[in-house]
Amino acid sequence: MENNENLNVSTALLACGESVPGLREPKYAPGAEVAEPEREAYSADPSDRSISSLSSSFSSMFHPLSSSSSSSRGSVLSLSPPLPPSVELSAIMTDTRLTLDVYLGGAAALPLVWGYDPDHLRGIKYLRLGSEDKPGLDAALDVLPHMTGLHSLTIRGHRFYDSRGDPLPGLLTGLPDSTSNLSHLKHVDLSFNQLTFMPSCLLQLPVLSTLLLCHNHMSALPPDLGQLSSLTYLSLMGNKLVSVPPSVGQLKALQRLDVSHNVLQQLPDEIGFLGELVKLELSHNKLKQLPDSMGSLVSLRELVIYSNEFRVIPKCLNELPLLTMDVRDNPLGKPPTPPPLPPVPDHPKIQKLHLGSNKHSFFVSSAGRHVFLPGGAELTFPPGCLMTTTKFTWGEKRPNRKWVWLEEHDILLSRPLELCPHGVTFLKPVEVCVPYHRTKRGEVVLRTFDGQTWSTLPTELRRGSEEHCCYPGGRPARLACSFVSHFSWFMAVSRPVRDTCSVTPAGALLVSSSNPGIKLHFPPDATAQTRTITLQVLQVSEFEVQALCGDPQARVSPLLCLSQTPVSQFLQPVKVQIPLPPGISGHEADVSQLHVLHGDPAAQTWTDITSQVSLYVTHLYAIFYITHFSWYWLWYTTQRCVSGVVRKVYQRLKQFKVQFLVLQRKTDPAQVLLQCLPANKMEGRVQSLSEQYDGPHPSDLCDLLEGEQFFAGFERGLDIVTDRPDCVEGRLCFVFYSSLKNVKEVYVCSAQGQKGPVRGQVSFYRGEIPSNLPEEVAKRRKGLDTQWLATLPLRLPALNSDNSFNLEELQYPPLNLGDPESGYLTEANLLSISLQIGRDWRVIGINLGLSYEELDRIQYKHRDNLGALVLDMLFHWARGQRNAGPGSVSRLVAAMTESGRTDLAEEIEDIVSLGRRKYTESLKRVGLEAESSSVGEAQQ
């Protein structure tokens, strides 16, 4: 029985993502029945005979085409909704187990299964429910008390993530009182929910041995907690407990107690009565001392008290020679905290200075100054930071690669800000605040350049002053702020969140702040010297990976970026815990399709190291061991050449889908705006510019890297002034940064010797090949032709006698649709048809194949003129048919019919029929009909 209880404790710990000393977590073999600790613990239970007696009816449930199934049930249970249509009952239920926490909202399926086969559910021993869907959870709780055969119950939150990568909270607030009827329950896990108290029904479970209530909102425990006499493991970490009741001393069988991450200030003396206690976790509380009775805990082997307020090691622990302790982050040996000093009177407010856009210098005296720069930046000089009055200058640099340093996965959020003079040293730190563009991923940090290298500064984020908004009536700018001792270059950058810790020979634990399920366990003696460890986690879109690798079954865990200082291999393997990919359960997954990939950032390669890292899985996590740090990525895929697939996917994930825009100012066609933006930002940008600019649609999608250089060339009779500093060999130079505008405006003119209107174009080309591109991508970017990205037309009208442009030439040219043989419509015919379309224009445009984005842009452009709107839609489609081959008129007729405008379809057919008859008559008149017929027969 002792072994069974240990296995049960191990299972509970694995559910919380922790390990048990001396117990090995189960390893699931691919394609085989899962050897589950909970099932092994109760394999000798006599109730198994009743479950096996249901095997015949249960098998018919999974084979609905058999005669027994058709006679007993007559139909197959549908679980959709709430589960996906492809999920069958056999995928979530076995003889003794029902798993409903793998699919979002899966708890709602429990009433369906109960209504289908209540007798079988009464024999289920292991039940898992998600708690993120409140209606589905409430319905499941109504069924729960009837499942009297349950041995293990898990109702957890944080099983799924939202679009930003944040875990969905559990919504469980309590259990039905009738849950106390589940007299066989030995394991209960209600972690990551909204419990404010321990459900009283739990105290009535006579054989409950494992209870996990982690990460809830409980501030107190019931005074009769001691009724749980069979309890061996109790976890209350991550709550708001201020005390532990004295009745805890009645838990005579308790082997492990975890009350870490609470607000405990003391423990009751009765805790010394826990004679079987092996491990006690008290970290991250406010404890200053321990009761002397703890000297009686002769079975205690591990005591975790780090991150408390102990100034001395409690003497009572000296009586336990076999005890190991973790006492990090305590003020050991430090004197008591002195009383707070009386408040210091505030300094008089320092003078404020608002600079205009044309003023790039200012003076600061020893009295200090608060300087507001154009664009939102702020500088705060405290009193006494300077001895004498000093002149300072500022300027924003173009974000080219000379002034920008980005690490892997970094995003530039601001233009580099230069503050001069560089050599001045301040007597007190000066606060520099740089405005930055909003980002949805990673953390924002401020970087500075000392003339030779870039470094990252400790950064605080805040909003700017209300009186210094960038736009009238707008919100203050977002600021990245840091204190500096001298001036140089500064810029704001977004990077994956970094978690760091120091690892000593005693070992350590590092938990990711962005995903608490990711942990690094450093065993004792893993290093002979103290090391600084850095962990970064990069969330990756599952749908994007599936599209890139062509495997709809592919799933990936977050990408881990691990680094250390100094760089050397560890003396002992480091344990890495990472959540399984979304939708993958350790009990059901084919482990042969799980792959651990090691990335080399220098060589840009990925290697499958699954066989080298001792990979095994629990229900929620994958665990493996490493001895050196780099990039690690867990994949679940059916493809064979995993390393090659991952390398290509990783490179594509670093690239941005962008579009190019070329627009002319309506009042001055020579003024041209060029811009490159990520595709998801282009539609809003076009709408905002449509009042003042006009031009062709944005280009097709292209791929660019953050910080990649590209050029715009003016061709086919167009020219620009080439003495600009950003003009290289006649082309305009850009550097792409996804969060910046990447926009320039230039004046174009006709090339020398060009007269009249110019039908030119602007082509975009890649710059030099980035050094970090893989070989197969670099090959496609060599040579002038293959450096081409996109081309957009640009028309320049002719000049009038008064040297101004003839703007009428920018109107649509005469446009005829189709050809005389298959069907022909003149521009006059199209104008006549457009006058009759009216408010059906949008459905007709959809049936013509125009995208919603194109229709929305046309509607916004002509929102006050229905006639111009219809005309623009029809002629926009007709211009696209010039190179579409014959049959364009037939497509127009079909679109009118599908849109319910058979009147216009019949009118177009009459026009085409009349035109075709006239065309035939004209051939007869010139004697070409017979000739054309003979030529057609010869070709046949």
Side-chain angles (χ1 to χ4, degrees):
M1 185 61 189
E2 181 180 354
N3 292 336
N4 289 342
E5 292 297 336
N6 284 339
L7 284 171
N8 196 28
V9 172
S10 175
T11 304
L13 292 178
L14 294 178
C16 279
E18 303 181 16
S19 60
V20 184
L23 294 180
R24 186 176 180 182
E25 297 169 318
K27 184 174 182 178
Y28 303 127
E33 181 68 14
V34 177
E36 296 158 346
E38 297 171 17
R39 181 176 301 173
E40 294 172 359
Y42 308 113
S43 61
D45 196 317
S47 63
D48 280 349
R49 293 193 295 272
S50 63
I51 297 300
S52 61
S53 66
L54 292 172
S55 59
S56 59
S57 62
F58 193 69
S59 61
S60 67
M61 189 187 308
F62 297 153
H63 300 282
L65 298 179
S66 64
S67 59
S68 63
S69 176
S70 59
S71 62
S72 61
R73 309 197 188 283
S75 63
V76 180
L77 174 62
S78 173
L79 299 174
S80 174
L83 304 186
S86 60
V87 178
E88 299 180 355
L89 188 58
S90 59
I92 61 173
M93 186 161 67
T94 64
D95 285 351
T96 60
R97 180 180 300 275
L98 179 58
T99 304
L100 293 175
D101 64 342
V102 179
Y103 302 98
L104 186 63
L110 184 59
L112 301 178
V113 181
W114 172 259
Y116 185 70
D117 193 352
D119 292 337
H120 183 76
L121 273 194
R122 291 190 182 95
I124 289 292
K125 291 185 178 182
Y126 310 102
L127 174 64
R128 296 187 65 92
L129 300 174
S131 57
E132 70 289 332
D133 175 41
K134 184 63 173 173
L137 177 63
D138 291 342
L141 292 179
D142 292 339
V143 176
L144 178 63
H146 302 287
M147 302 180 64
T148 53
L150 276 183
H151 286 179
S152 174
L153 171 64
T154 299
I155 307 178
R156 288 169 55 96
H158 282 207
R159 292 290 291 114
F160 302 93
Y161 296 85
D162 60 19
S163 58
R164 298 177 300 178
D166 298 327
L168 296 178
L171 304 178
L172 180 71
T173 58
L175 292 177
D177 291 340
S178 53
T179 307
S180 59
N181 298 331
L182 306 181
S183 58
H184 297 293
L185 265 181
K186 295 187 177 184
H187 170 274
V188 174
D189 182 358
L190 307 179
S191 303
F192 297 100
N193 279 294
Q194 307 296 320
L195 298 175
T196 57
F197 58 90
M198 180 184 293
S200 59
C201 59
L202 297 178
L203 301 176
Q204 310 301 320
L205 301 176
V207 295
L208 184 64
S209 62
T210 299
L211 178 58
L212 295 94
L213 302 174
C214 317
H215 299 285
N216 278 279
H217 304 281
M218 298 186 297
S219 58
L221 297 174
D224 49 352
L225 180 65
Q227 294 184 29
L228 297 174
S229 57
S230 300
L231 204 60
T232 61
Y233 174 44
L234 175 61
S235 179
L236 300 165
M237 69 178 296
N239 280 277
K240 302 176 182 179
L241 298 176
V242 296
S243 64
V244 176
S247 61
V248 70
Q250 301 174 24
L251 304 178
K252 302 298 184 181
L254 194 63
Q255 298 177 13
R256 179 171 176 180
L257 175 61
D258 186 350
V259 286
S260 59
H261 291 270
N262 281 281
V263 287
L264 298 176
Q265 296 186 9
Q266 61 181 5
L267 295 177
D269 291 335
E270 288 78 4
I271 201 168
F273 299 156
L274 302 178
E276 300 297 322
L277 193 63
V278 176
K279 183 173 182 178
L280 178 59
E281 299 192 45
L282 303 171
S283 61
H284 291 280
N285 279 286
K286 298 183 178 180
L287 296 170
K288 298 181 180 179
Q289 59 184 6
L290 296 175
D292 293 337
S293 61
M294 286 187 60
S296 303
L297 300 178
V298 293
S299 299
L300 191 62
R301 294 293 180 268
E302 187 174 356
L303 177 62
V304 182
I305 57 174
Y306 68 83
S307 294
N308 276 281
E309 299 179 12
F310 294 103
R311 299 185 182 276
V312 295
I313 300 295
K315 295 180 180 180
C316 61
L317 302 180
N318 296 333
E319 304 175 19
L320 305 174
L322 300 179
L323 179 66
T324 60
M325 290 186 294
D326 186 344
V327 298
R328 292 172 297 149
D329 297 329
N330 280 287
L332 296 174
K334 295 183 179 180
T337 304
L341 298 174
V344 178
D346 294 335
H347 291 287
K349 292 185 177 180
I350 60 177
Q351 182 184 8
K352 296 181 180 181
L353 175 63
H354 294 263
L355 297 181
S357 57
N358 59 346
K359 190 172 183 180
H360 288 266
S361 64
F362 57 92
F363 290 88
V364 178
S365 67
S366 59
R369 208 166 203 180
H370 192 174
V371 182
F372 298 90
L373 304 182
E378 297 182 16
L379 308 174
T380 304
F381 298 84
C385 68
L386 294 168
M387 295 291 292
T388 60
T389 300
T390 306
K391 179 181 179 181
F392 296 94
T393 61
W394 70 276
E396 281 191 334
K397 299 291 184 182
R398 288 188 177 274
N400 56 46
R401 289 174 294 179
K402 179 181 179 181
W403 305 111
V404 175
W405 169 67
L406 297 178
E407 295 179 341
E408 199 82 10
H409 309 296
D410 285 355
I411 303 295
L412 181 65
L413 301 181
S414 72
R415 299 179 67 175
L417 173 66
E418 183 180 13
L419 301 174
C420 297
H422 295 172
V424 174
T425 301
F426 303 112
L427 302 178
K428 294 182 180 180
V430 173
E431 186 181 38
V432 175
C433 295
V434 176
Y436 66 92
H437 294 272
R438 181 178 58 182
T439 179
K440 294 183 179 181
R441 59 179 183 179
E443 62 181 355
V444 179
V445 296
L446 201 61
R447 289 208 176 123
T448 183
F449 184 63
D450 60 7
Q452 296 182 350
T453 59
W454 285 92
S455 58
T456 301
L457 300 172
T459 307
E460 178 185 355
L461 304 182
R462 64 175 176 84
R463 286 281 183 175
S465 302
E466 293 284 348
E467 57 188 294
H468 189 53
C469 294
C470 298
Y471 304 100
R475 296 188 65 186
R478 294 178 174 86
L479 298 179
C481 304
S482 185
F483 288 93
V484 300
S485 59
H486 61 275
F487 276 172
S488 68
W489 291 267
F490 302 91
M491 67 179 185
V493 171
S494 170
R495 69 180 185 186
V497 177
R498 287 193 174 187
D499 297 295
T500 61
C501 75
S502 295
V503 179
T504 65
L509 171 66
L510 177 58
V511 181
S512 169
S513 60
S514 60
N515 189 335
I518 298 176
K519 299 180 180 179
L520 303 179
H521 296 259
F522 299 89
D525 300 324
T527 177
Q529 56 182 329
T530 301
R531 308 189 191 198
T532 300
I533 304 300
T534 301
L535 165 65
Q536 290 179 284
V537 177
L538 187 66
Q539 299 290 344
V540 181
S541 168
E542 169 187 331
F543 303 104
E544 193 171 359
V545 168
Q546 292 174 352
L548 292 175
C549 70
D551 181 6
Q553 304 300 321
R555 303 284 192 276
V556 295
S557 290
L559 173 63
L560 305 186
C561 303
L562 308 177
S563 59
Q564 60 174 329
T565 304
V567 179
S568 60
Q569 288 200 351
F570 288 94
L571 304 178
Q572 299 289 338
V574 177
K575 178 182 175 182
V576 180
Q577 173 187 290
I578 186 171
L580 288 170
I584 304 299
S585 167
H587 290 318
E588 303 169 356
D590 183 356
V591 183
S592 65
Q593 296 179 3
L594 277 174
H595 303 270
V596 178
L597 282 302
H598 167 264
D600 185 341
Q604 295 288 319
T605 59
W606 288 88
T607 307
D608 190 344
I609 60 171
T610 309
S611 60
Q612 307 170 27
V613 294
S614 303
L615 173 68
Y616 66 96
V617 299
T618 67
H619 183 55
L620 300 176
Y621 300 98
I623 297 174
F624 55 93
Y625 294 85
I626 58 177
T627 56
H628 68 280
F629 277 4
S630 186
W631 297 348
Y632 294 93
W633 205 355
L634 181 66
W635 273 59
Y636 184 88
T637 179
T638 58
Q639 298 193 6
R640 294 183 178 180
C641 184
V642 182
S643 299
V645 171
V646 173
R647 179 161 52 94
K648 294 179 181 179
V649 169
Y650 178 74
Q651 290 299 332
R652 292 292 300 275
L653 288 174
K654 291 169 54 180
Q655 299 178 12
F656 290 85
K657 295 291 183 182
V658 303
Q659 291 178 283
F660 297 96
L661 190 64
V662 176
L663 298 176
Q664 294 173 272
R665 188 174 287 274
K666 293 179 179 180
T667 57
D668 185 4
Q671 186 176 348
V672 178
L673 180 144
L674 302 97
Q675 190 165 14
C676 174
L677 284 176
N680 60 344
K681 300 180 181 179
M682 183 57 74
E683 181 180 358
R685 179 61 171 167
V686 170
Q687 290 185 0
S688 66
L689 294 173
S690 60
E691 290 289 337
Q692 299 179 350
Y693 292 85
D694 198 5
H697 287 287
S699 70
D700 293 335
L701 294 177
C702 302
D703 293 322
L704 284 178
L705 295 167
E706 182 81 4
E708 184 171 356
Q709 187 182 52
F710 66 93
F711 294 91
F714 295 81
E715 302 165 345
R716 298 182 60 182
L718 295 177
D719 204 354
I720 62 172
V721 177
T722 58
D723 58 357
R724 296 169 52 115
D726 57 349
C727 201
V728 179
E729 297 181 356
R731 294 177 175 179
L732 207 58
C733 178
F734 291 79
V735 180
F736 171 74
Y737 293 105
S738 57
S739 292
L740 303 187
K741 292 183 177 180
N742 309 306
V743 61
K744 292 183 181 181
E745 287 199 67
V746 296
Y747 279 92
V748 300
C749 59
S750 303
Q752 189 172 5
Q754 186 82 24
K755 296 182 179 180
V758 178
R759 297 177 180 269
Q761 64 185 29
V762 180
S763 294
F764 295 91
Y765 301 89
R766 299 186 189 276
E768 63 184 50
I769 301 172
S771 59
N772 59 347
L773 279 185
E775 182 179 357
E776 65 271 13
V777 178
K779 286 181 179 178
R780 296 199 299 268
R781 299 189 175 189
K782 291 181 179 178
L784 291 178
D785 294 337
T786 52
Q787 286 182 327
W788 172 83
L789 289 165
T791 296
L792 293 171
L794 182 63
R795 297 183 54 208
L796 198 61
L799 294 174
N800 293 326
S801 57
D802 58 352
N803 208 30
S804 62
F805 288 109
N806 183 9
L807 298 182
E808 294 181 358
E809 293 183 6
L810 287 178
Q811 303 300 319
Y812 297 127
L815 178 64
N816 298 318
L817 184 66
D819 58 272
E821 295 183 358
S822 64
Y824 189 78
L825 292 176
T826 65
E827 183 178 275
N829 298 143
L830 292 174
L831 288 170
S832 174
I833 293 168
S834 70
L835 295 175
Q836 305 175 59
I837 290 178
R839 298 195 177 277
D840 294 326
W841 71 274
R842 191 174 184 90
V843 66
I844 292 174
I846 292 173
N847 289 322
L848 286 172
L850 298 180
S851 67
Y852 289 100
E853 292 80 5
E854 292 172 322
L855 295 174
D856 289 342
R857 182 192 176 199
I858 293 172
Q859 184 177 17
Y860 185 85
K861 181 178 178 181
H862 305 288
R863 53 187 177 275
D864 299 325
N865 190 337
L866 179 62
L869 187 152
V870 174
L871 190 65
D872 195 354
M873 181 276 296
L874 188 60
F875 274 71
H876 173 71
W877 171 79
R879 287 196 300 275
Q881 300 298 306
R882 287 173 170 171
N883 300 321
S888 54
V889 174
S890 301
R891 288 189 284 273
L892 181 59
V893 172
M896 294 296 181
T897 304
E898 294 173 2
S899 305
R901 296 302 301 269
T902 54
D903 56 327
L904 289 180
E906 293 173 355
E907 180 177 337
I908 295 171
E909 289 178 338
D910 292 341
I911 295 173
V912 170
S913 177
L914 179 62
R916 189 179 293 115
R917 187 170 66 250
K918 290 182 178 179
Y919 178 70
T920 304
E921 292 175 354
S922 65
L923 291 179
K924 288 181 179 179
R925 286 197 299 271
V926 297
L928 295 178
E929 183 180 26
E931 179 180 347
S932 61
S933 300
S934 62
V935 172
E937 294 174 358
Q939 291 177 346
Q940 295 176 354

